């Protein structure tokens, strides 16, 4: 079945930018909803952005709206999360996920990457 791998995380200063990538192997993104989730230490995993199968609809958490942009490139089985104007509160492990539904509930996504650390320092 599909395997997802995140990349692009790292250490960035407040106000900086990062672009996370999620690549799939053993399957394709076509016809699947995709999402980016993050989990800070001691916190529950939560959805920060999602995109439907066609790319025509997107969701953003209030905390990232206007700063983050989710996109997908199905031809290359890759999706991205462009993160701008980063804040210390964005520090977390970021996970990409694939599922059958355009939703924000993590339980409804059925394929996950291992996560990539994003640290925003002052």
């Amino acid at each position: 079945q599909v395997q997802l791998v995140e990349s692009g995380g790292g250490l960035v200063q407040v106000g900086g930018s990062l672009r996370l990538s999620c690549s799939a192997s053993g399957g394709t993104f076509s016809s699947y909803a995709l999402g980016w989730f993050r989990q800070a230490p001691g916190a529950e995993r939560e959805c920060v952005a999602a995109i439907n199968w066609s790319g025509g609809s997107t969701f953003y958490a209030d905390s990232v709206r206007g700063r983050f942009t989710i996109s997908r490139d199905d031809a290359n089985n890759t999706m991205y999360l462009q993160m701008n104007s980063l804040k210390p509160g964005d520090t977390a492990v970021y996970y990409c996920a694939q599922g059958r539904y355009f939703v924000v509930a993590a339980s409804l996504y059925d394929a996950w990457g291992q996560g990539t650390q994003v640290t925003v320092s002052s």
Side-chain angles (χ1 to χ4, degrees):
Q1 201 170 358
V2 65
Q3 295 175 288
L4 306 179
V5 180
E6 302 94 341
S7 63
L11 176 65
V12 66
Q13 297 296 114
V14 170
S17 297
L18 285 173
R19 188 184 70 165
L20 305 184
S21 299
C22 174
S23 297
S25 62
T28 65
F29 282 153
S30 181
S31 299
Y32 286 92
L34 304 172
W36 284 99
F37 294 74
R38 69 185 183 189
Q39 187 168 21
E44 191 65 35
R45 190 173 300 184
E46 63 179 356
C47 185
V48 297
I51 188 166
N52 78 332
W53 71 272
S54 70
S57 296
T58 57
F59 162 84
Y60 296 98
D62 288 344
S63 59
V64 308
R65 186 175 294 110
R67 300 187 297 118
F68 290 11
T69 303
I70 188 172
S71 61
R72 62 190 298 161
D73 180 0
D74 289 347
N76 292 298
N77 288 324
T78 305
M79 74 153 170
Y80 305 94
L81 185 68
Q82 178 66 46
M83 306 186 295
N84 298 326
S85 302
L86 284 161
K87 305 174 180 179
D90 297 320
T91 296
V93 177
Y94 283 72
Y95 301 86
C96 65
Q98 174 184 289
R100 292 179 291 275
Y101 311 105
F102 178 51
V103 294
V104 300
S107 63
L108 295 179
Y109 288 78
D110 48 30
W112 293 84
Q114 293 300 305
T116 185
Q117 176 71 47
V118 171
T119 302
V120 184
S121 66
S122 60

